[in-house]
Amino acid sequence: MSVHGLNVARNAKAVLHDVDLTILPGRITALLGANGAGKSSLVLAMAGVLPATSGTIALDGQSIVGLRPEAIRASGVAAVPEGHQVLNDLSVEDNLKVAGSHLSRAQLRSALDVALGTFPELRERLQARSGNLSGGQQQMVALAQAVIARPRYLLADELSFGLAPVVVARLVPVLQNLASQGIGVLLIEQFTHLALKIAHSAYVMERGRICFAGEPQELISNPEILHSAYLA
Ligand SMILES: Nc1ncnc2c1ncn2[C@@H]1O[C@H](COP(=O)(O)OP(=O)(O)OP(=O)(O)O)[C@@H](O)[C@H]1O
Ligand SMILES: [Mg+2]
């Protein structure tokens, strides 16, 4: 999935400027940058939630600009937006079933087994109201939904927000496992060292522009690149 020359405005204010970014199947791509840099806006544009002013967003070489979010999701792009976006009034089980509503009964059953095998504590809470779960458990539901939906691309916006470090540590192998199954993961992460450790490539945004694209190792070796982007 690739983005070229993307411009996006919110409330008539330009928030993304000529953004180029590619996420590859089976790879984790880290997207870093300070608060307000435009990371979430990029995810929302890629998911079809925010309109592009100009530029292209392509999936398998086909433009998806202007498609409805549901159509983009149906073609295999799953965004896990910032914040805990589970349906609070639904049970955990129903939230997971919603994510697999396009699957056959048998496929849904096995997808649920995989997701609950990954997050066993959700199995014990299947009938609980999702809104009553802890923040960490809600993020598990959001990730389990992504596992069940089996997207081709997963856009994960600050999965670790508000989570205890032990829970964050649990999410890492889940993301790596999804990538090893061929899913292209875009990882927005406040814990930059963690993202860079597991990413295959990295981008840094500064005020709506990409200011670095390259190897994670390059950012690890040259911390001043990130420092200046986070101070901008
Ligand atoms: N709901 C909104 N309506 C209008 N403008 C918004 C909205 N949310 C964010 N913006 C603006 O869009 C720009 C980019 O913000 P965005 O949320 O995409 O950055 P971010 O990199 O995700 O930041 P953070 O690390 O805080 O999540 C900022 O100037 C911000 O003020
Ligand atoms: Mg954000």
Side-chain angles (χ1 to χ4, degrees):
M1 179 174 199
S2 62
V3 170
H4 287 295
L6 183 69
N7 287 277
V8 169
R10 296 181 89 159
N11 290 345
K13 176 187 158 209
V15 294
L16 295 182
H17 307 274
D18 296 324
V19 168
D20 288 345
L21 174 137
T22 299
I23 51 178
L24 295 172
R27 293 275 178 267
I28 297 177
T29 302
L31 175 60
L32 308 176
N35 292 338
K39 307 176 299 291
S40 298
S41 300
L42 178 56
V43 164
L44 294 174
M46 291 168 81
V49 177
L50 282 180
T53 316
S54 62
T56 59
I57 305 171
L59 189 61
D60 306 327
Q62 300 257 24
S63 172
I64 57 166
V65 172
L67 292 189
R68 311 247 334 126
E70 305 77 59
I72 293 174
R73 182 169 283 271
S75 51
V77 179
V80 181
E82 222 171 4
H84 306 134
Q85 293 284 338
V86 297
L87 299 167
N88 281 338
D89 288 329
L90 291 189
S91 68
V92 169
E93 182 167 26
D94 286 344
N95 258 298
L96 297 181
K97 284 184 172 167
V98 166
S101 57
H102 57 297
L103 302 178
S104 71
R105 253 171 183 285
Q107 284 173 326
L108 180 59
R109 178 62 30 220
S110 79
L112 278 171
D113 279 345
V114 171
L116 295 173
T118 309
F119 299 112
E121 52 267 77
L122 294 183
R123 196 185 285 280
E124 294 151 26
R125 311 221 55 193
L126 277 177
Q127 303 315 319
R129 184 180 166 277
S130 300
N132 293 343
L133 300 181
S134 69
Q137 289 168 335
Q138 291 190 11
Q139 288 297 56
M140 287 179 200
V141 174
L143 250 190
Q145 285 181 314
V147 172
I148 287 168
R150 299 207 137 267
R152 291 191 293 144
Y153 295 98
L154 173 67
L155 315 178
D157 193 353
E158 310 241 10
L159 287 176
S160 67
F161 187 78
L163 300 187
V166 289
V167 181
V168 177
R170 295 263 313 279
L171 301 179
V172 168
V174 176
L175 292 170
Q176 289 179 310
N177 185 34
L178 291 173
S180 73
Q181 291 169 41
I183 296 173
V185 178
L186 181 67
L187 180 61
I188 297 177
E189 186 44 70
Q190 53 176 336
F191 296 116
T192 56
H193 59 282
L194 191 153
L196 292 174
K197 207 161 75 186
I198 64 172
H200 303 94
S201 63
Y203 291 83
V204 181
M205 284 190 99
E206 197 178 313
R207 297 185 194 156
R209 294 178 197 278
I210 300 290
C211 62
F212 172 89
E215 303 263 329
Q217 189 54 48
E218 208 178 323
L219 289 176
I220 295 169
S221 313
N222 302 286
E224 66 278 5
I225 302 175
L226 272 183
H227 285 159
S228 77
Y230 278 78
L231 291 174

